Amino acid sequence: MLHFSSLCLFWECRSVDSSEINVEKRRLWNRPRWILSQAQDDQAVVEPLDYLHNQYDRWYIVLREFSKRKFTYTSDALPAVSGLARIFQQAYAEKDEYIAGLWRQDFAQGLLWLVDGSSETSKAQEYWAPSWSWASIAGTVHWPTRTIPRHKRDDFTVELLEVNMRVAKENAMGTVLGGYIRMRGRLRSLSVVRKPEEWGAFSRFRYDLWYEDKIVGNGQFDADQDDTAEEVWLLQMAAQQSGDCFYPYHPTVLMLERLCGSQTKFVRLGCGVLDDEQLDFFDICEPQTFDFY
């Protein structure tokens, strides 16, 4: 592809780009075209992606770059990424099931996306994706597995039981019309989620999670929120180890809101981590089945 600018002529292919000013070819390591290029042309990728822990990390890097784009209609996010999803499935996930932007065999990890704190994010009133999907957010999202170790499969404490999603007939990987997933895991309610007067500049999680009169962890909402929120539930996603330096940057719980009038229907509000002193917070809870919208 050629790009004509007032400065010079640029060109790019599936694996490299260059220009009249800088003729040295550069790898497009952070672009969806390069990340998935092996699916279309085995010769296109020469250098290994050493920082990937498994093939699904390729998908999360694609989504991070994709979510930086601004759409006239945010509801177009899933239809727009569906072509990349098909390429990925053919190359790396042929026997896997695609569920509203995530993959079933890596679903628990896929749920642990974070909003980029440096960009504005919002959720629209109209429906275009389930709350647990990255596509429900207008803004940049990412998964921290590229820079720190991902959770081991045995660490996860949730189970996906059923998928009940309604999708457009013309594109099963595109528009989601509605539905829910049924999961099993440990849930516990909080007293309040409150923004502290000060928070660490390097922390991803800017809200204190309160249970009774003590802080049990920190969280971050997916979209702009008032300084406090009540009726918030925590879902334990992964076992958290004491003293692990990676967990301040990697969510282990989801923040949920129970739908009005139901005991078993929830939507996602955000994600977070527990304090080291509160790692037994879910020990008194028995796993329960719930519907996630």
Side-chain angles (χ1 to χ4, degrees):
M1 181 182 296
L2 291 176
H3 304 271
F4 296 89
S5 74
S6 58
L7 184 63
C8 67
L9 181 68
F10 297 85
W11 68 270
E12 64 175 304
C13 65
R14 285 196 300 228
S15 58
V16 296
D17 70 0
S18 187
S19 70
E20 292 178 300
I21 295 177
N22 182 10
V23 295
E24 181 180 354
K25 296 178 180 179
R26 300 179 303 170
R27 291 278 171 189
L28 305 182
W29 64 268
N30 65 336
R31 299 189 187 179
R33 183 182 295 106
W34 187 76
I35 295 295
L36 297 182
S37 59
Q38 206 166 19
Q40 299 171 313
D41 183 359
D42 289 339
Q43 302 303 314
V45 176
V46 178
E47 303 160 39
L49 302 181
D50 293 332
Y51 54 79
L52 296 179
H53 301 286
N54 70 19
Q55 70 270 25
Y56 293 103
D57 288 343
R58 292 178 181 267
W59 182 244
Y60 302 139
I61 294 173
V62 167
L63 294 183
R64 182 192 64 200
E65 296 301 316
F66 181 85
S67 66
K68 294 178 182 178
R69 277 59 175 174
K70 293 186 179 296
F71 292 90
T72 303
Y73 301 102
T74 311
S75 57
D76 289 341
L78 284 174
V81 81
S82 62
L84 293 173
R86 288 191 179 87
I87 294 174
F88 181 89
Q89 186 175 50
Q90 292 170 4
Y92 309 112
E94 188 174 359
K95 297 182 179 180
D96 206 346
E97 180 183 0
Y98 185 71
I99 310 171
L102 300 176
W103 299 96
R104 185 163 192 155
Q105 292 184 20
D106 203 48
F107 199 73
Q109 181 68 64
L111 290 175
L112 293 176
W113 48 268
L114 290 162
V115 296
D116 188 335
S118 62
S119 65
E120 295 183 0
T121 58
S122 63
K123 283 194 173 185
Q125 298 299 318
E126 66 273 15
Y127 183 92
W128 66 65
S131 68
W132 44 261
S133 172
W134 58 269
S136 65
I137 290 293
T140 303
V141 300
H142 69 281
W143 288 255
T145 55
R146 176 174 169 256
T147 52
I148 64 175
R150 65 172 19 239
H151 293 304
K152 297 178 182 177
R153 188 173 297 274
D154 292 342
D155 289 341
F156 290 109
T157 55
V158 293
E159 182 182 3
L160 176 61
L161 302 177
E162 297 178 25
V163 177
N164 298 282
M165 302 302 299
R166 294 184 293 110
V167 297
K169 293 182 179 179
E170 63 272 13
N171 184 3
M173 285 186 164
T175 302
V176 173
L177 303 176
Y180 63 93
I181 56 175
R182 182 158 292 166
M183 301 191 71
R184 186 169 178 80
R186 291 181 171 88
L187 288 159
R188 193 172 181 186
S189 62
L190 294 173
S191 302
V192 68
V193 177
R194 180 181 299 126
K195 183 182 290 186
E197 294 182 3
E198 296 182 2
W199 58 277
F202 297 102
S203 173
R204 296 179 187 272
F205 307 108
R206 306 181 184 184
Y207 287 76
D208 290 335
L209 309 180
W210 287 81
Y211 181 76
E212 295 181 344
D213 60 348
K214 59 187 176 184
I215 297 174
V216 298
N218 298 93
Q220 179 63 34
F221 289 100
D222 296 334
D224 291 339
Q225 184 78 21
D226 295 333
D227 289 345
T228 61
E230 299 180 357
E231 298 296 325
V232 174
W233 290 71
L234 289 188
L235 169 65
Q236 184 187 39
M237 290 294 297
Q240 186 174 323
Q241 305 300 320
S242 176
D244 193 322
C245 62
F246 292 119
Y247 279 119
Y249 308 98
H250 203 315
T252 58
V253 297
L254 291 185
M255 297 160 52
L256 309 182
E257 179 182 30
R258 192 161 60 185
L259 292 179
C260 182
S262 174
Q263 297 294 315
T264 60
K265 297 179 180 180
F266 293 85
V267 293
R268 171 174 164 146
L269 294 178
C271 58
V273 292
L274 294 177
D275 286 347
D276 256 10
E277 296 78 13
Q278 301 295 331
L279 300 188
D280 60 351
F281 184 70
F282 291 98
D283 287 358
I284 66 170
C285 305
E286 292 293 328
Q288 57 182 291
T289 300
F290 64 96
D291 294 338
F292 205 0
Y293 285 80

